[in-house]
Amino acid sequence: GQNIDQPTEMTATEGAIVQINCTYQTSGFNGLFWYQQHAGEAPTFLSYNVLDGLEEKGRFSSFLSRSKGYSYLLLKELQMKDSASYLCAVKDSNYQLIWGAGTKLIIKP
Amino acid sequence: IAGITQAPTSQILAAGRRMTLRCTQDMRHNAMYWYRQDLGLGLRLIHYSNTAGTTGKGEVPDGYSVSRANTDDFPLTLASAVPSQTSVYFCASSDASGRADTQYFGPGTRLTVL
């Protein structure tokens, strides 16, 4: 079957750096997405990786290793507004998104 | 309208009742999707439509039906609601079904079936 694994919850301190990992086993691979979802709101797009390596977007970076079935989202200079769930999703061979359950990130002052 | 709208925002429904969740987008996106989100589980695809006039089944289609009469609207119908359909429902759209196309989500409908 298809599977996306992420930690359920992480805690970090304001101003620090946090890395959220995602491992996947899917039938085919057509890219990996990270979304942010604040409580009670819709998911919003953060990043897309299809080739191995690091993609940087301001305070957020996303890394992909296709051979290891592994990605991480790196958040720098954490702010209180970064408290949210972070969803990892992989586009499979049918071009459908398979979603992880999400990682709830709690930021403490 | 800007983006995707969903209606209603929330609903409490008696089991056995019929319910239609509405979704409208104004981005002229070809593809639209319906997901449900339950605590502890990832978003699960219910139905999708790659273009107006076509629909397909996702991971959890049983008990739900959809139609895509035009580009903008993609309603989801529960013919006879059951308590296990209590969930948050998100509609999404994207401009293509290729690799890199990003899905944009509506604000969601919180449905409770009693």
Side-chain angles (χ1 to χ4, degrees), chain B:
Chain B
I1 299 177
I4 303 180
T5 58
Q6 292 184 236
T9 303
S10 66
Q11 182 76 43
I12 298 174
L13 190 66
R17 297 296 295 269
R18 179 183 180 91
M19 175 76 191
T20 295
L21 308 184
R22 299 186 297 279
C23 175
T24 299
Q25 53 105 358
D26 66 355
M27 297 179 283
R28 308 303 294 172
H29 283 170
N30 289 324
M32 297 187 74
Y33 313 85
W34 273 106
Y35 291 94
R36 60 178 289 172
Q37 187 174 41
D38 302 291
L39 199 62
L41 298 177
L43 287 161
R44 292 183 290 169
L45 184 64
I46 304 171
H47 285 286
Y48 64 94
S49 168
N50 287 332
T51 189
T54 69
T55 62
K57 292 182 180 180
E59 180 187 356
V60 289
D62 294 344
Y64 305 95
S65 63
V66 291
S67 61
R68 186 90 184 276
N70 56 61
T71 298
D72 299 344
D73 301 300
F74 191 42
L76 176 74
T77 297
L78 289 67
S80 179
V82 295
S84 62
Q85 292 178 311
T86 294
S87 187
V88 180
Y89 291 86
F90 287 104
C91 179
S93 71
S94 67
D95 63 4
S97 296
R99 260 186 164 189
D101 70 296
T102 299
Q103 292 186 14
Y104 297 91
F105 285 79
T109 293
R110 185 173 296 274
L111 182 67
T112 303
V113 183
L114 301 176

Side-chain angles (χ1 to χ4, degrees), chain A residues 17-38:
Chain A
I17 299 173
V18 70
Q19 178 175 310
I20 302 173
N21 295 326
C22 170
T23 58
Y24 63 89
Q25 291 177 306
T26 56
S27 57
F29 179 84
N30 282 298
L32 186 144
F33 294 77
W34 284 96
Y35 279 74
Q36 180 189 59
Q37 185 177 25
H38 285 101

Side-chain angles (χ1 to χ4, degrees), chain A:
Chain A
Q2 308 203 90
N3 198 48
I4 311 281
D5 284 318
Q6 310 178 230
T8 302
E9 186 174 296
M10 299 181 70
T11 302
T13 304
E14 190 177 15
I17 299 173
V18 70
Q19 178 175 310
I20 302 173
N21 295 326
C22 170
T23 58
Y24 63 89
Q25 291 177 306
T26 56
S27 57
F29 179 84
N30 282 298
L32 186 144
F33 294 77
W34 284 96
Y35 279 74
Q36 180 189 59
Q37 185 177 25
H38 285 101
E41 297 183 8
T44 55
F45 171 74
L46 284 178
S47 68
Y48 169 74
N49 294 71
V50 67
L51 299 177
D52 290 352
L54 190 68
E55 294 279 345
E56 297 188 76
K57 263 191 195 181
R59 294 189 300 114
F60 292 10
S61 303
S62 56
F63 172 83
L64 175 67
S65 168
R66 289 172 297 171
S67 63
K68 294 182 179 177
Y70 168 70
S71 173
Y72 67 73
L73 181 69
L74 192 72
L75 291 73
K76 303 175 186 175
E77 302 169 14
L78 285 170
Q79 302 175 9
M80 297 304 293
K81 67 179 182 179
D82 297 331
S83 292
S85 289
Y86 292 86
L87 314 182
C88 174
V90 172
K91 188 162 279 191
D92 70 8
S93 56
N94 293 320
Y95 293 93
Q96 299 294 353
L97 280 178
I98 309 300
W99 295 82
T103 299
K104 183 178 180 180
L105 178 63
I106 299 168
I107 310 295
K108 294 186 174 178

